[in-house]
Amino acid sequence: MINLLKYDWKRNANLIMGSAAALIIFQVAISFFGVTRNWPSALPLTFMFMGYCFAALMLIIFSFKTFSHNLKSYGRRLLPVASWKTIASPLLLQFVLSAGLSGLVLLHIWLFKWLSPSASLDALVPPTLKTGVLFFILIFWMVLFLMLLLYFSITVGNLFNKKLMPWVAIAVFVLLQFVISYAEKFLFNDDLFGAVDSELSSSSMSIFMSSTGDISVGNWGVMAFEIVIGAILVNIMLYLLNKKLDA
Amino acid sequence: MKKIVELQAVTKNYGSRKALHNINLNLEAGKIIGLLGSNGSGKSTLMKLAAGLIQPTSGTIRICGEPIGIGTKAVTSFMPDQPVTESWMRVKDALRFFSDFYKDFDQEKAGSMLDFLKLDRNDRISSLSKGMNERLQLTLAMSRQAKLYLLDEPIGGVDPVARGKILDAIVKFYNEDSCVLISTHLITDIERIFDEVLFIQNGEVSLRQDVESIRSKHGKSVDELFREVFSE
């Protein structure tokens, strides 16, 4: 597993390191101009978050591209390793890189606070440890579930020829999102993504953070439902990898 | 002799096109077998099925008595028609990759083969010529102590001098407890190393014979027999 992770990293190391350098230069430049030109504190914060959101999106794209590459790579498919590791390796790499990105965000926030003591960053800090942990679990699961949906769609797409593959993958992804969202609404009158969206749109991060602090029973039910769906998707992917999918 | 490969009623379709049709085949240890056929006859498909890269539409495949899976991949060494290495690698990275994943990968054997085939460990794979890349792929495949070696066109893209060197390398580094299956179009160059040949035509095995008996019974070389069978 660690070996697979190592080679996934080595294949993409230049791209990742280059992107990380570009992100850091962008953030340093934004912070520098924010401080030296006395921008209102909300402006560099907005740019900062846009930069990090873009980086997180890039990590998701990078992760499913790595998975997709591994599905078709002769070098990978010939290896005597269990199929679940083909799924787990790019996921693990994504979470390791996400942890690195989160560390960079925290370091940036700390530096920002140090350089601009007057700036209010309360909205970014969870009010309690429990809220922070729950928020982390929620985000972790949302990303993991999203990745499983993407991986599943790519796996099904790869059952078809090159021309059809992207369209089938997109269709499967959209259909799954729709069916799961509908089922969650029907069963729990709620969904995990819906809850977050409404809280985010309701104004500030602080409201969102405090409300996830006492996450409702319905949301835990949604999460349990999604865990079951995730397990089913993984099992179908393993079946397809072992029995149906050509390299 | 120990059966290495067993195919029972194996069929492989790509959409509506039949690549292999109802193949029944056993291959034993201790032989170098030529898999010969025209373009699109199903040679590469047969190899990919045995290597576990593609799945049969129907039928069963066993390698050393086991159905295709992690166990069979651990004892099968495949040199496919495209590189198993990645463009970022140097030759030494490719060796490390193989030794990281294949317990039977023999670094010493790989080192000897690299020297024999005049490959430099520090060369970037992306800068290797087609012929040099084929030498590297062959080195990687033959440096394992596998039970089954599958070599798909191992001399397809190399000059005649290098061909001789590659064939000598196959014979020199071949382990007699194993079975080597080689697909090729270049029969004249390679037939000297075959113990047996399999002719595959339109997805079906049309002939299987010892090379010696082809020469003694038919009074022909494998190349002459191939031309006779496939000119029809």
Side-chain angles (χ1 to χ4, degrees):
Chain A
M1 176 71 170
I2 296 301
N3 274 332
L4 288 177
L5 187 70
K6 181 173 88 179
Y7 286 99
D8 278 342
W9 161 257
K10 283 189 170 188
R11 189 194 310 135
N12 296 291
N14 285 343
L15 178 69
I16 294 167
M17 298 303 278
S19 306
L23 177 69
I24 290 169
I25 291 167
F26 172 78
Q27 297 293 4
V28 168
I30 291 299
S31 300
F32 176 78
F33 287 120
V35 172
T36 56
R37 303 205 173 174
N38 289 323
W39 287 355
S41 65
L43 196 59
L45 273 177
T46 308
F47 281 128
M48 177 181 140
F49 266 92
M50 280 171 64
Y52 287 122
C53 286
F54 182 72
L57 183 67
M58 291 295 287
L59 282 183
I60 289 173
I61 294 170
F62 153 79
S63 175
F64 82 71
K65 278 194 79 172
T66 302
F67 176 71
S68 184
H69 176 275
N70 292 347
L71 284 187
K72 286 291 174 188
S73 160
Y74 279 14
R76 280 303 179 93
R77 293 294 297 276
L78 287 170
L79 297 177
V81 294
S83 299
W84 67 266
K85 292 180 182 175
T86 303
I87 302 168
S89 157
L91 270 180
L92 186 59
L93 181 59
Q94 186 192 355
F95 283 112
V96 169
L97 292 173
S98 299
L101 184 66
S102 305
L104 195 63
V105 173
L106 290 175
L107 178 71
H108 196 163
I109 290 172
W110 179 79
L111 276 172
F112 191 83
K113 184 74 183 161
W114 183 60
L115 290 169
S116 314
S118 58
S120 171
L121 297 172
D122 294 344
L124 300 176
V125 182
T128 64
L129 181 66
K130 185 189 163 197
T131 310
V133 171
L134 286 172
F135 178 70
F136 173 78
I137 293 171
L138 189 69
I139 293 295
F140 176 82
W141 175 250
M142 278 171 62
V143 174
L144 180 59
F145 191 63
L146 174 69
M147 296 317 298
L148 288 178
L149 290 179
L150 282 168
Y151 283 13
F152 180 82
S153 308
I154 293 164
T155 309
V156 174
N158 271 301
L159 293 172
F160 297 83
N161 64 34
K162 266 187 185 173
K163 274 186 187 171
L164 281 175
M165 182 266 168
W167 302 110
V168 173
I170 291 167
V172 170
F173 181 74
V174 171
L175 188 70
L176 271 176
Q177 283 277 28
F178 175 78
V179 170
I180 292 168
S181 180
Y182 182 81
E184 287 173 353
K185 283 258 189 304
F186 181 75
L187 292 171
F188 305 100
N189 197 27
D190 200 357
D191 67 47
L192 215 51
F193 293 93
V196 173
D197 288 346
S198 62
E199 298 300 343
L200 279 174
S201 62
S202 69
S203 71
S204 75
M205 273 304 268
S206 56
I207 295 171
F208 164 61
M209 299 291 275
S210 59
S211 63
T212 52
D214 48 307
I215 193 167
S216 69
V217 176
N219 282 355
W220 288 116
V222 169
M223 192 183 273
F225 174 73
E226 288 183 354
I227 288 170
V228 172
I229 298 289
I232 292 169
L233 294 181
V234 168
N235 277 291
I236 296 172
M237 273 193 274
L238 291 177
Y239 170 76
L240 294 176
L241 277 167
N242 291 330
K243 301 286 180 195
K244 296 289 172 195
L245 196 68
D246 292 347
Chain B
M1 251 182 290
K2 193 184 170 192
K3 278 184 195 168
I4 301 287
V5 181
E6 295 166 79
L7 275 80
Q8 287 177 343
V10 170
T11 293
K12 176 66 184 175
N13 300 335
Y14 293 111
S16 58
R17 191 174 72 83
K18 278 190 174 174
L20 289 178
H21 179 62
N22 197 32
I23 299 269
N24 291 289
L25 185 67
N26 292 326
L27 304 177
E28 294 88 24
K31 286 185 175 174
I32 299 180
I33 301 164
L35 182 62
L36 312 175
S38 52
N39 289 328
S41 57
K43 302 186 298 291
S44 295
T45 300
L46 183 67
M47 289 195 161
K48 286 177 191 171
L49 283 167
L53 273 182
I54 58 175
Q55 315 296 332
T57 307
S58 63
T60 56
I61 304 169
R62 289 179 173 270
I63 308 292
C64 297
E66 268 191 70
I68 299 291
I70 299 173
T72 66
K73 287 179 180 178
V75 296
T76 303
S77 187
F78 183 31
M79 175 192 168
D81 51 2
Q82 55 177 274
V84 293
T85 48
E86 300 196 8
S87 55
W88 63 268
M89 291 176 170
R90 289 177 188 272
V91 171
K92 62 185 176 189
D93 296 319
L95 299 189
R96 175 73 60 82
F97 177 76
F98 266 62
S99 79
D100 279 346
F101 288 102
Y102 297 105
K103 286 179 187 164
D104 60 2
F105 188 73
D106 185 338
Q107 286 276 12
E108 266 185 44
K109 196 174 170 186
S112 317
M113 275 194 83
L114 288 183
D115 295 339
F116 187 73
L117 294 170
K118 305 249 181 295
L119 282 161
D120 188 329
R121 285 167 185 268
N122 291 312
D123 280 346
R124 282 190 179 280
I125 289 175
S126 56
S127 70
L128 294 178
S129 66
K130 189 177 177 189
M132 293 302 269
N133 209 331
E134 284 192 355
R135 291 181 192 202
L136 172 63
Q137 303 304 320
L138 184 74
T139 300
L140 296 171
M142 294 303 290
S143 296
R144 290 182 53 200
Q145 306 288 348
K147 292 287 178 199
L148 173 64
Y149 296 91
L150 303 163
L151 310 177
D152 194 356
E153 299 283 358
I155 55 168
V158 297
D159 60 77
V161 179
R163 276 177 210 166
K165 224 169 169 48
I166 287 176
L167 295 178
D168 291 343
I170 293 172
V171 175
K172 186 178 174 190
F173 294 100
Y174 153 64
N175 162 15
E176 291 202 349
D177 293 334
S178 59
C179 169
V180 183
L181 186 65
I182 303 175
S183 83
T184 187
H185 288 117
L186 301 164
I187 304 165
T188 316
D189 292 295
I190 206 169
E191 69 171 278
R192 68 179 164 93
I193 72 166
F194 290 152
D195 297 307
E196 222 177 79
V197 287
L198 276 170
F199 284 4
I200 187 162
Q201 217 169 0
N202 302 321
E204 294 181 18
V205 176
S206 59
L207 181 139
R208 179 180 184 178
Q209 208 146 25
D210 278 327
V211 171
E212 273 311 306
S213 73
I214 291 174
R215 285 176 189 140
S216 58
K217 263 191 196 171
H218 300 273
K220 289 172 183 159
S221 67
V222 175
D223 187 44
E224 285 166 336
L225 184 65
F226 180 84
R227 285 171 197 274
E228 196 178 294
V229 171
F230 285 88
S231 64
E232 287 165 7

